[in-house]
Amino acid sequence: MKIIAFQGERGAFSEEAAYKLLGRNIRVLPRESFGAAFASAVHGQATHCLVPIENTLAGSVYENYDLLLKNRLHIAGEANLRIVHNLIAFPGTTLGNLRQVYSHPVALAQCSRFLARHRRVERIPFYDTAGSVKMLAERRLPGAAAIASRVAASAYGARVLMAHLEDHQENFTRFLLLSKGESVSPQANKVSIVFSTRNVPGALFKCLSVFALRDIDLQKMESRPLRGRPWEYFFYLDFAGNAREAKCRNALSHLREVTNFLRVLGCYESATR
Amino acid sequence: MKIIAFQGERGAFSEEAAYKLLGRNIRVLPRESFGAAFASAVHGQATHCLVPIENTLAGSVYENYDLLLKNRLHIAGEANLRIVHNLIAFPGTTLGNLRQVYSHPVALAQCSRFLARHRRVERIPFYDTAGSVKMLAERRLPGAAAIASRVAASAYGARVLMAHLEDHQENFTRFLLLSKGESVSPQANKVSIVFSTRNVPGALFKCLSVFALRDIDLQKMESRPLRGRPWEYFFYLDFAGNAREAKCRNALSHLREVTNFLRVLGCYESATR
C-alpha cells in the first residue's frame, strides 16, 4: 500500500490532494516540515511524498523548489486542488454564537470578505489550518470555529457550518507527488527539469530556443539563486511532452549543449486544468 | 534633504544600503512593513523608499516584486550590499561570558558555523536583526548579544565583539531605491520591466527574442502569479541598457507587440558587482 508523507496535521490540504490523486486506499504520514516529508520518501518510511509547489494567488512554494534540487526524488504525478475554505466547528458552536475563528494567517487573509461581514468575530492566527481543527477537537471552546479543508472536518469528527468562505474562486494549489524510484507511464505528457545556464549573453534565450524550435510548449518557469555564485540562477522549467518521444529527447540533448547543469526532475501525467 | 523609508528598526541592513547608495546626508524613516515603506514614498512622508529585492543565498523577496507592480513608483537606483553579520553587545557581555544570542532566524541560520563552535550559547530567534540590538540596549541582559549589521551597533551605541560571523562570504542583498517621480540619468545602464505574455505557444520565447535579436543582455528574470488568471504569470525582467537608446526603445516597442501588458519599472544606474 502506498504511504504518502506530507507537511502538516491530519486533514491538511495536502492530504486532500493525496486522496484526489490516488484515491482513499492509501496510508498518510503527516510530518512537521516540508524537509521532513521529503526525508520520509528518501529514507523509506513513506513510498512517496506529496508537496505543494505553487498556488494561483500566493505564487510558488520556493522552499519546495529548493528541496526538489537537494533531494534525489522523481516527480511521479501532480494534482491541482481547488482550495475551498470551510467554517468548521464542534457541537456548542453555531453561526449565531460564533465569537472566534482560528486558522493559518494565509487562510484568514483569503477569507477576508466573510470576516468583514462578521465584525464581532475575532480572528486568531494559528500555525496550521487543520491544526486549528485538531486544537478545537481537544479543547472544545464554545463559540470558536476553525477555517480548514473538508477533509480536516471529517478527520476530527467536526461539522462544516459553512462552505466556500474564500474571497477568490480562482484559488488552486498544484501539488507534486514524489518517489525514490523512477517510472514513466505511457500517459506521461509533462516534463519538469532544472538547469543552470552558461554565463554568456543570450544564454537563457538559447536554452528556451531548444523548445521553441521544436514547437514544445513551456508551461511554467521559475528561477532560484545558485548558492555560492552570486547573481547566477537555477531555472526550473515545465514543458509539454513525454521524455521518451524523439522531439523531447532531442530538445533535452540540445539543451545539454547550452547549459552547465541539467537534471530531469520527472516525466508525468499532467493534472487537468 | 532626501528622506528614505525602509522596513525594519534603525540599524537595519536597508539603512546600511541607503548610506552606501546615498551617503550619510539623508534622513531615514523606519517602517513596520515593506507595504508601509512603499506607502511612505507614495504619500510623501518620504522622498524615496529602499527595499531588498533579492539575496544571493535566499532568493528573491517576492513580496517586494508584488509591491512594485501594485504601487506606481519608479526605480531610481540600486545597491548591492555584502551582508556581514556581527556579534554585538553592551558592556557586561564578553566572548567569555556569552550565553545567549538574539537575532532574526535567517541571520542565526546564516551564522550556523559560529554557533556550532559555541555550543553552550543559546540561540534565541527574534523578529528583527537590528531590533535585537535595540532590545539589548533597553534591557542590558548580561551574557546576551545580538547578531546584526555594524550600522545597528552604532545606532544603539553598542560594541562589535566579533565581525564576519556569516558562513558564506558570497552573501549579498540587492536593494532598489524607489521614488514617485521619474528621472532617467544619462549614466543609467539598466532597465527593469514587468509584462504578461499572450496565452499562445512560444509566447515567452517571443518576448525574450526581442532582446536576443538586438544583443541586449538579460540580467534577471522572475515570475509571479497573475491573480484571477490561474496558471498565468507576470514576468519581471532586468536588462542592460538605457531606455533612451534606440536599441532599447525598439526592443520595448517590439515587446509591446507580443505582450498583453507591459510596464517599465525604471531605468537606473547598475550597482557594481
Side-chain angles (χ1 to χ4, degrees):
Chain A
M1 185 182 277
K2 291 191 174 92
I3 305 170
I4 313 298
F6 62 89
Q7 183 275 326
E9 298 282 358
R10 281 298 312 273
F13 284 105
S14 293
E15 184 176 336
E16 193 173 333
Y19 296 142
K20 184 176 177 187
L21 187 61
L22 302 166
R24 284 274 171 172
N25 195 21
I26 56 172
R27 277 173 51 202
V28 293
L29 182 62
R31 301 305 309 264
E32 261 189 15
S33 65
F34 291 129
F38 273 81
S40 296
V42 168
H43 299 122
Q45 296 96 333
T47 57
H48 299 77
C49 69
L50 189 89
V51 296
I53 197 73
E54 65 171 312
N55 173 270
T56 56
L57 299 178
S60 292
V61 183
Y62 300 98
E63 184 181 353
N64 285 334
Y65 272 100
D66 295 344
L67 287 167
L68 274 179
L69 189 65
K70 204 172 162 191
N71 294 278
R72 290 222 156 242
L73 296 175
H74 302 275
I75 304 173
E78 68 171 3
N80 293 331
L81 187 72
R82 163 90 184 277
I83 301 299
V84 175
H85 289 304
N86 302 279
L87 189 69
I88 296 169
F90 288 88
T93 299
T94 62
L95 276 176
N97 74 357
L98 184 68
R99 290 294 173 273
Q100 294 177 319
V101 172
Y102 291 81
S103 197
H104 190 278
V106 171
L108 292 172
Q110 290 185 345
C111 301
S112 63
R113 284 186 215 151
F114 167 82
L115 293 165
R117 281 198 306 273
H118 296 80
R119 292 203 164 186
R120 293 162 315 165
V121 174
E122 191 187 357
R123 309 155 191 218
I124 306 181
F126 210 66
Y127 72 98
D128 188 59
T129 54
S132 59
V133 183
K134 185 185 180 188
M135 181 276 292
L136 290 181
E138 289 159 1
R139 300 188 48 202
R140 300 283 175 133
L141 305 170
I147 293 177
S149 75
R150 188 169 282 276
V151 168
S154 65
Y156 300 102
R159 281 188 314 142
V160 172
L161 294 186
M162 195 186 281
H164 289 289
L165 263 58
E166 68 276 9
D167 299 337
H168 293 275
Q169 299 211 328
E170 301 295 339
N171 185 355
F172 295 88
T173 298
R174 180 180 161 227
F175 292 85
L176 296 179
L177 180 73
L178 302 163
S179 67
K180 213 169 171 182
E182 192 181 7
S183 70
V184 176
S185 91
Q187 285 84 45
N189 56 358
K190 189 169 183 176
V191 183
S192 294
I193 61 173
V194 54
F195 63 88
S196 65
T197 61
R198 300 198 177 163
N199 199 359
V200 294
L204 181 58
F205 177 77
K206 283 178 191 164
C207 292
L208 298 191
S209 74
V210 313
F211 302 101
L213 290 169
R214 293 171 179 87
D215 292 320
I216 293 174
D217 197 21
L218 300 186
Q219 293 169 338
K220 170 93 203 275
M221 190 162 125
E222 199 50 77
S223 66
R224 292 290 298 153
L226 216 159
R227 293 170 72 103
R229 303 232 303 261
W231 324 115
E232 296 187 36
Y233 307 92
F234 284 116
F235 292 95
Y236 292 80
L237 209 61
D238 297 338
F239 61 89
N242 185 305
R244 289 179 181 171
E245 290 169 349
K247 194 164 84 164
C248 284
R249 278 191 284 115
N250 292 338
L252 289 171
S253 76
H254 187 173
L255 186 60
R256 251 176 250 283
E257 294 175 45
V258 293
T259 50
N260 271 331
F261 163 83
L262 168 62
R263 203 169 102 206
V264 176
L265 296 168
C267 176
Y268 51 99
E269 202 171 341
S270 176
T272 50
R273 290 188 167 179
Chain B
M1 186 181 278
K2 290 191 175 90
I3 305 170
I4 313 298
F6 62 89
Q7 183 275 327
E9 298 282 357
R10 281 298 312 274
F13 284 105
S14 293
E15 184 176 335
E16 193 173 332
Y19 297 141
K20 184 176 178 187
L21 188 61
L22 302 166
R24 284 272 170 174
N25 195 21
I26 56 170
R27 278 172 52 202
V28 294
L29 182 62
R31 301 305 309 263
E32 262 190 14
S33 64
F34 292 130
F38 272 81
S40 296
V42 168
H43 298 123
Q45 295 97 333
T47 58
H48 299 76
C49 69
L50 189 89
V51 296
I53 197 74
E54 64 171 312
N55 173 269
T56 56
L57 298 179
S60 292
V61 184
Y62 301 97
E63 183 182 352
N64 285 334
Y65 272 100
D66 294 345
L67 287 166
L68 274 179
L69 189 66
K70 204 173 160 190
N71 294 279
R72 289 221 157 244
L73 295 176
H74 301 274
I75 304 174
E78 69 171 3
N80 292 332
L81 188 73
R82 164 90 184 278
I83 300 300
V84 175
H85 289 303
N86 302 279
L87 189 69
I88 295 170
F90 289 88
T93 300
T94 63
L95 275 176
N97 73 357
L98 184 66
R99 289 295 173 272
Q100 294 176 317
V101 173
Y102 290 81
S103 197
H104 190 279
V106 171
L108 291 172
Q110 290 185 345
C111 301
S112 63
R113 283 186 215 150
F114 166 83
L115 292 166
R117 281 198 305 272
H118 296 79
R119 291 204 164 186
R120 293 162 315 164
V121 173
E122 190 186 359
R123 309 155 192 218
I124 306 182
F126 210 66
Y127 73 99
D128 189 59
T129 54
S132 60
V133 184
K134 184 184 179 188
M135 181 276 292
L136 291 181
E138 289 158 2
R139 299 187 50 202
R140 301 283 175 133
L141 306 170
I147 294 177
S149 75
R150 188 168 281 276
V151 169
S154 65
Y156 301 101
R159 281 188 314 142
V160 172
L161 294 186
M162 195 186 283
H164 289 288
L165 263 57
E166 68 276 8
D167 299 337
H168 294 275
Q169 298 211 330
E170 302 295 337
N171 184 355
F172 294 88
T173 298
R174 180 179 160 226
F175 292 85
L176 296 180
L177 181 71
L178 302 163
S179 66
K180 213 169 170 182
E182 191 180 10
S183 71
V184 177
S185 91
Q187 285 85 43
N189 56 358
K190 188 169 184 177
V191 184
S192 294
I193 60 172
V194 54
F195 62 88
S196 65
T197 60
R198 299 197 178 165
N199 199 358
V200 293
L204 181 59
F205 177 76
K206 283 177 192 166
C207 293
L208 298 191
S209 74
V210 313
F211 302 101
L213 290 168
R214 293 172 179 87
D215 292 320
I216 294 173
D217 197 20
L218 300 186
Q219 294 170 338
K220 169 93 203 277
M221 190 162 124
E222 198 50 76
S223 66
R224 291 290 298 153
L226 218 159
R227 293 170 71 103
R229 304 231 303 261
W231 324 115
E232 295 187 34
Y233 307 92
F234 284 116
F235 292 96
Y236 293 80
L237 209 63
D238 297 339
F239 61 89
N242 186 305
R244 288 179 181 171
E245 291 169 350
K247 193 164 85 163
C248 285
R249 277 192 284 114
N250 292 338
L252 289 171
S253 74
H254 187 173
L255 186 59
R256 250 175 251 284
E257 293 175 46
V258 292
T259 50
N260 271 331
F261 163 84
L262 168 63
R263 204 167 103 205
V264 176
L265 296 168
C267 176
Y268 51 98
E269 203 171 340
S270 176
T272 49
R273 291 187 168 181

Short mmCIF file of all heavy atoms in Angstrom, two decimals, chain A residues 165-205:
data_model
loop_
_atom_site.label_atom_id
_atom_site.label_comp_id
_atom_site.label_asym_id
_atom_site.label_seq_id
_atom_site.Cartn_x
_atom_site.Cartn_y
_atom_site.Cartn_z
N LEU A 165 -15.84 29.89 2.06
CA LEU A 165 -15.59 31.18 2.70
C LEU A 165 -14.58 32.01 1.92
O LEU A 165 -14.42 33.20 2.20
CB LEU A 165 -15.02 30.94 4.11
CG LEU A 165 -16.00 30.98 5.28
CD1 LEU A 165 -17.11 29.95 5.08
CD2 LEU A 165 -15.27 30.70 6.58
N GLU A 166 -13.90 31.40 0.96
CA GLU A 166 -12.78 32.08 0.28
C GLU A 166 -13.25 33.24 -0.60
O GLU A 166 -14.29 33.18 -1.22
CB GLU A 166 -11.96 31.09 -0.55
CG GLU A 166 -12.65 30.49 -1.75
CD GLU A 166 -13.52 29.28 -1.43
OE1 GLU A 166 -13.76 28.98 -0.24
OE2 GLU A 166 -14.01 28.66 -2.39
N ASP A 167 -12.45 34.31 -0.62
CA ASP A 167 -12.76 35.50 -1.43
C ASP A 167 -12.71 35.19 -2.92
O ASP A 167 -13.55 35.65 -3.70
CB ASP A 167 -11.72 36.62 -1.18
CG ASP A 167 -11.70 37.08 0.27
OD1 ASP A 167 -12.71 36.89 0.97
OD2 ASP A 167 -10.67 37.63 0.69
N HIS A 168 -11.67 34.46 -3.32
CA HIS A 168 -11.43 34.22 -4.75
C HIS A 168 -11.70 32.76 -5.08
O HIS A 168 -11.12 31.88 -4.46
CB HIS A 168 -9.98 34.54 -5.12
CG HIS A 168 -9.64 35.98 -5.01
ND1 HIS A 168 -9.89 36.88 -6.00
CD2 HIS A 168 -9.08 36.68 -4.00
CE1 HIS A 168 -9.50 38.08 -5.62
NE2 HIS A 168 -9.00 37.99 -4.40
N GLN A 169 -12.53 32.52 -6.08
CA GLN A 169 -12.75 31.14 -6.50
C GLN A 169 -11.54 30.62 -7.28
O GLN A 169 -11.32 29.42 -7.35
CB GLN A 169 -13.99 31.08 -7.39
CG GLN A 169 -15.25 31.54 -6.67
CD GLN A 169 -16.48 30.83 -7.17
OE1 GLN A 169 -16.56 30.48 -8.33
NE2 GLN A 169 -17.43 30.62 -6.29
N GLU A 170 -10.76 31.52 -7.86
CA GLU A 170 -9.64 31.11 -8.70
C GLU A 170 -8.41 30.80 -7.83
O GLU A 170 -7.32 31.27 -8.10
CB GLU A 170 -9.30 32.20 -9.72
CG GLU A 170 -10.45 32.56 -10.65
CD GLU A 170 -10.85 31.40 -11.55
OE1 GLU A 170 -10.01 30.51 -11.75
OE2 GLU A 170 -11.99 31.38 -12.03
N ASN A 171 -8.65 30.03 -6.78
CA ASN A 171 -7.62 29.70 -5.82
C ASN A 171 -7.30 28.21 -5.91
O ASN A 171 -8.02 27.37 -5.38
CB ASN A 171 -8.13 30.09 -4.41
CG ASN A 171 -7.09 29.90 -3.32
OD1 ASN A 171 -6.00 29.41 -3.57
ND2 ASN A 171 -7.43 30.30 -2.11
N PHE A 172 -6.23 27.89 -6.62
CA PHE A 172 -5.83 26.50 -6.81
C PHE A 172 -4.40 26.30 -6.31
O PHE A 172 -3.58 27.20 -6.43
CB PHE A 172 -5.83 26.11 -8.29
CG PHE A 172 -7.18 26.13 -8.94
CD1 PHE A 172 -7.68 27.29 -9.50
CD2 PHE A 172 -7.95 24.98 -8.98
CE1 PHE A 172 -8.93 27.32 -10.09
CE2 PHE A 172 -9.21 24.99 -9.57
CZ PHE A 172 -9.70 26.16 -10.13
N THR A 173 -4.15 25.12 -5.75
CA THR A 173 -2.78 24.76 -5.42
C THR A 173 -2.39 23.54 -6.23
O THR A 173 -3.17 22.60 -6.35
CB THR A 173 -2.60 24.50 -3.92
OG1 THR A 173 -2.92 25.70 -3.21
CG2 THR A 173 -1.16 24.12 -3.58
N ARG A 174 -1.20 23.61 -6.79
CA ARG A 174 -0.65 22.48 -7.56
C ARG A 174 0.29 21.71 -6.64
O ARG A 174 1.15 22.31 -5.99
CB ARG A 174 0.08 23.04 -8.77
CG ARG A 174 0.70 21.99 -9.66
CD ARG A 174 1.41 22.66 -10.84
NE ARG A 174 2.36 21.72 -11.41
CZ ARG A 174 3.62 22.00 -11.72
NH1 ARG A 174 4.09 23.22 -11.57
NH2 ARG A 174 4.41 21.07 -12.21
N PHE A 175 0.08 20.39 -6.55
CA PHE A 175 0.91 19.52 -5.70
C PHE A 175 1.71 18.56 -6.57
O PHE A 175 1.23 18.13 -7.62
CB PHE A 175 0.02 18.68 -4.78
CG PHE A 175 -0.71 19.49 -3.74
CD1 PHE A 175 -1.92 20.11 -4.03
CD2 PHE A 175 -0.20 19.63 -2.46
CE1 PHE A 175 -2.60 20.86 -3.07
CE2 PHE A 175 -0.87 20.37 -1.48
CZ PHE A 175 -2.06 20.98 -1.79
N LEU A 176 2.91 18.23 -6.12
CA LEU A 176 3.71 17.21 -6.80
C LEU A 176 3.82 15.97 -5.94
O LEU A 176 4.03 16.06 -4.73
CB LEU A 176 5.13 17.74 -7.09
CG LEU A 176 5.25 18.93 -8.04
CD1 LEU A 176 6.72 19.32 -8.19
CD2 LEU A 176 4.64 18.62 -9.40
N LEU A 177 3.67 14.81 -6.59
CA LEU A 177 3.88 13.51 -5.95
C LEU A 177 5.29 13.06 -6.30
O LEU A 177 5.65 13.01 -7.48
CB LEU A 177 2.84 12.50 -6.47
CG LEU A 177 2.92 11.09 -5.89
CD1 LEU A 177 2.41 11.08 -4.44
CD2 LEU A 177 2.10 10.11 -6.74
N LEU A 178 6.08 12.73 -5.27
CA LEU A 178 7.49 12.40 -5.49
C LEU A 178 7.81 11.01 -4.96
O LEU A 178 7.30 10.61 -3.91
CB LEU A 178 8.37 13.42 -4.76
CG LEU A 178 8.15 14.87 -5.18
CD1 LEU A 178 8.75 15.82 -4.14
CD2 LEU A 178 8.76 15.13 -6.53
N SER A 179 8.66 10.28 -5.68
CA SER A 179 9.07 8.96 -5.19
C SER A 179 10.55 8.74 -5.49
O SER A 179 11.14 9.44 -6.31
CB SER A 179 8.24 7.86 -5.85
OG SER A 179 8.54 7.82 -7.23
N LYS A 180 11.12 7.74 -4.80
CA LYS A 180 12.53 7.45 -4.96
C LYS A 180 12.80 6.80 -6.32
O LYS A 180 13.73 7.16 -7.02
CB LYS A 180 12.98 6.51 -3.83
CG LYS A 180 14.40 6.74 -3.40
CD LYS A 180 14.67 5.98 -2.12
CE LYS A 180 16.15 6.03 -1.80
NZ LYS A 180 16.46 5.26 -0.59
N GLY A 181 11.95 5.84 -6.67
CA GLY A 181 12.14 5.16 -7.95
C GLY A 181 11.54 5.97 -9.09
O GLY A 181 10.65 6.79 -8.89
N GLU A 182 12.05 5.73 -10.30
CA GLU A 182 11.55 6.45 -11.46
C GLU A 182 10.73 5.50 -12.31
O GLU A 182 11.15 4.38 -12.57
CB GLU A 182 12.75 6.96 -12.28
CG GLU A 182 12.35 7.97 -13.33
CD GLU A 182 13.54 8.44 -14.15
OE1 GLU A 182 14.64 7.89 -13.98
OE2 GLU A 182 13.36 9.36 -14.95
N SER A 183 9.55 5.93 -12.72
CA SER A 183 8.80 5.14 -13.70
C SER A 183 7.99 6.10 -14.54
O SER A 183 7.26 6.94 -14.02
CB SER A 183 7.88 4.14 -12.99
OG SER A 183 6.83 4.83 -12.36
N VAL A 184 8.18 6.03 -15.86
CA VAL A 184 7.49 6.95 -16.77
C VAL A 184 6.36 6.20 -17.44
O VAL A 184 6.58 5.22 -18.15
CB VAL A 184 8.47 7.53 -17.81
CG1 VAL A 184 7.73 8.41 -18.80
CG2 VAL A 184 9.58 8.31 -17.12
N SER A 185 5.13 6.64 -17.19
CA SER A 185 3.98 5.95 -17.79
C SER A 185 3.81 6.43 -19.23
O SER A 185 4.23 7.53 -19.59
CB SER A 185 2.72 6.22 -16.98
OG SER A 185 2.06 7.37 -17.49
N PRO A 186 3.19 5.58 -20.08
CA PRO A 186 2.95 5.99 -21.47
C PRO A 186 2.04 7.22 -21.55
O PRO A 186 2.09 7.97 -22.52
CB PRO A 186 2.27 4.77 -22.10
CG PRO A 186 2.52 3.64 -21.15
CD PRO A 186 2.68 4.23 -19.79
N GLN A 187 1.21 7.43 -20.51
CA GLN A 187 0.32 8.60 -20.50
C GLN A 187 1.04 9.90 -20.11
O GLN A 187 0.44 10.96 -20.18
CB GLN A 187 -0.85 8.40 -19.50
CG GLN A 187 -1.94 7.44 -19.97
CD GLN A 187 -1.56 6.02 -19.67
OE1 GLN A 187 -1.09 5.71 -18.58
NE2 GLN A 187 -1.69 5.13 -20.65
N ALA A 188 2.28 9.78 -19.68
CA ALA A 188 3.00 10.98 -19.22
C ALA A 188 3.05 12.01 -20.35
O ALA A 188 3.38 11.68 -21.50
CB ALA A 188 4.41 10.60 -18.78
N ASN A 189 2.71 13.25 -20.03
CA ASN A 189 2.65 14.30 -21.06
C ASN A 189 3.21 15.62 -20.56
O ASN A 189 2.90 16.68 -21.08
CB ASN A 189 1.20 14.47 -21.54
CG ASN A 189 0.24 14.79 -20.40
OD1 ASN A 189 0.66 14.84 -19.24
ND2 ASN A 189 -1.00 15.01 -20.72
N LYS A 190 4.04 15.55 -19.51
CA LYS A 190 4.61 16.76 -18.95
C LYS A 190 5.99 16.41 -18.40
O LYS A 190 6.16 15.34 -17.79
CB LYS A 190 3.71 17.26 -17.81
CG LYS A 190 4.07 18.63 -17.28
CD LYS A 190 2.97 19.13 -16.37
CE LYS A 190 3.27 20.53 -15.87
NZ LYS A 190 2.16 21.05 -15.06
N VAL A 191 6.95 17.29 -18.59
CA VAL A 191 8.32 17.06 -18.11
C VAL A 191 8.74 18.26 -17.28
O VAL A 191 8.47 19.41 -17.64
CB VAL A 191 9.31 16.87 -19.30
CG1 VAL A 191 10.71 16.54 -18.79
CG2 VAL A 191 8.82 15.78 -20.25
N SER A 192 9.38 18.00 -16.14
CA SER A 192 9.96 19.08 -15.32
C SER A 192 11.47 18.91 -15.27
O SER A 192 11.96 17.81 -15.03
CB SER A 192 9.40 19.03 -13.90
OG SER A 192 8.01 19.31 -13.91
N ILE A 193 12.17 20.02 -15.47
CA ILE A 193 13.63 19.97 -15.45
C ILE A 193 14.17 21.15 -14.63
O ILE A 193 13.44 22.09 -14.33
CB ILE A 193 14.24 20.04 -16.88
CG1 ILE A 193 13.84 21.35 -17.57
CG2 ILE A 193 13.81 18.86 -17.73
CD1 ILE A 193 14.54 21.58 -18.91
N VAL A 194 15.45 21.05 -14.27
CA VAL A 194 16.15 22.19 -13.66
C VAL A 194 17.51 22.29 -14.34
O VAL A 194 18.14 21.28 -14.64
CB VAL A 194 16.27 22.04 -12.12
CG1 VAL A 194 16.90 20.72 -11.72
CG2 VAL A 194 17.05 23.21 -11.52
N PHE A 195 17.93 23.52 -14.64
CA PHE A 195 19.23 23.70 -15.31
C PHE A 195 19.86 25.02 -14.88
O PHE A 195 19.19 25.89 -14.32
CB PHE A 195 19.09 23.64 -16.84
CG PHE A 195 18.23 24.71 -17.45
CD1 PHE A 195 18.76 25.95 -17.81
CD2 PHE A 195 16.87 24.49 -17.67
CE1 PHE A 195 17.97 26.94 -18.38
CE2 PHE A 195 16.06 25.47 -18.26
CZ PHE A 195 16.60 26.70 -18.60
N SER A 196 21.17 25.14 -15.12
CA SER A 196 21.82 26.44 -14.97
C SER A 196 22.46 26.78 -16.31
O SER A 196 22.98 25.90 -17.01
CB SER A 196 22.85 26.42 -13.84
OG SER A 196 23.90 25.56 -14.15
N THR A 197 22.39 28.05 -16.67
CA THR A 197 22.89 28.48 -17.98
C THR A 197 24.39 28.75 -17.89
O THR A 197 24.94 28.94 -16.81
CB THR A 197 22.21 29.78 -18.40
OG1 THR A 197 22.50 30.79 -17.43
CG2 THR A 197 20.70 29.62 -18.49
N ARG A 198 25.06 28.78 -19.04
CA ARG A 198 26.43 29.28 -19.07
C ARG A 198 26.36 30.79 -18.94
O ARG A 198 25.39 31.42 -19.36
CB ARG A 198 27.09 28.89 -20.38
CG ARG A 198 27.10 27.37 -20.50
CD ARG A 198 28.08 26.88 -21.50
NE ARG A 198 28.03 25.41 -21.43
CZ ARG A 198 28.50 24.61 -22.36
NH1 ARG A 198 29.09 25.13 -23.42
NH2 ARG A 198 28.42 23.31 -22.23
N ASN A 199 27.39 31.37 -18.36
CA ASN A 199 27.36 32.82 -18.11
C ASN A 199 27.82 33.59 -19.35
O ASN A 199 28.88 34.20 -19.37
CB ASN A 199 28.26 33.13 -16.89
CG ASN A 199 27.92 34.48 -16.30
OD1 ASN A 199 27.05 35.19 -16.81
ND2 ASN A 199 28.61 34.83 -15.25
N VAL A 200 27.00 33.53 -20.40
CA VAL A 200 27.29 34.26 -21.66
C VAL A 200 26.03 35.02 -22.06
O VAL A 200 24.92 34.62 -21.68
CB VAL A 200 27.70 33.29 -22.79
CG1 VAL A 200 29.02 32.62 -22.47
CG2 VAL A 200 26.61 32.24 -23.04
N PRO A 201 26.17 36.12 -22.82
CA PRO A 201 24.98 36.87 -23.24
C PRO A 201 24.02 35.98 -24.03
O PRO A 201 24.46 35.14 -24.82
CB PRO A 201 25.55 37.98 -24.13
CG PRO A 201 26.97 38.13 -23.71
CD PRO A 201 27.41 36.77 -23.27
N GLY A 202 22.74 36.16 -23.79
CA GLY A 202 21.73 35.40 -24.55
C GLY A 202 21.62 33.95 -24.13
O GLY A 202 20.95 33.16 -24.80
N ALA A 203 22.23 33.58 -22.99
CA ALA A 203 22.25 32.16 -22.58
C ALA A 203 20.84 31.62 -22.36
O ALA A 203 20.51 30.53 -22.85
CB ALA A 203 23.09 32.01 -21.31
N LEU A 204 20.00 32.36 -21.65
CA LEU A 204 18.66 31.87 -21.35
C LEU A 204 17.83 31.75 -22.64
O LEU A 204 17.08 30.79 -22.82
CB LEU A 204 17.97 32.81 -20.35
CG LEU A 204 16.57 32.40 -19.94
CD1 LEU A 204 16.54 31.02 -19.31
CD2 LEU A 204 15.97 33.43 -18.97
N PHE A 205 18.02 32.73 -23.53
CA PHE A 205 17.32 32.69 -24.81
C PHE A 205 17.66 31.42 -25.59
O PHE A 205 16.80 30.74 -26.14
CB PHE A 205 17.67 33.94 -25.63
CG PHE A 205 17.06 33.95 -27.00
CD1 PHE A 205 15.72 34.26 -27.16
CD2 PHE A 205 17.83 33.66 -28.11
CE1 PHE A 205 15.14 34.27 -28.43
CE2 PHE A 205 17.27 33.67 -29.37
CZ PHE A 205 15.92 33.97 -29.53
#
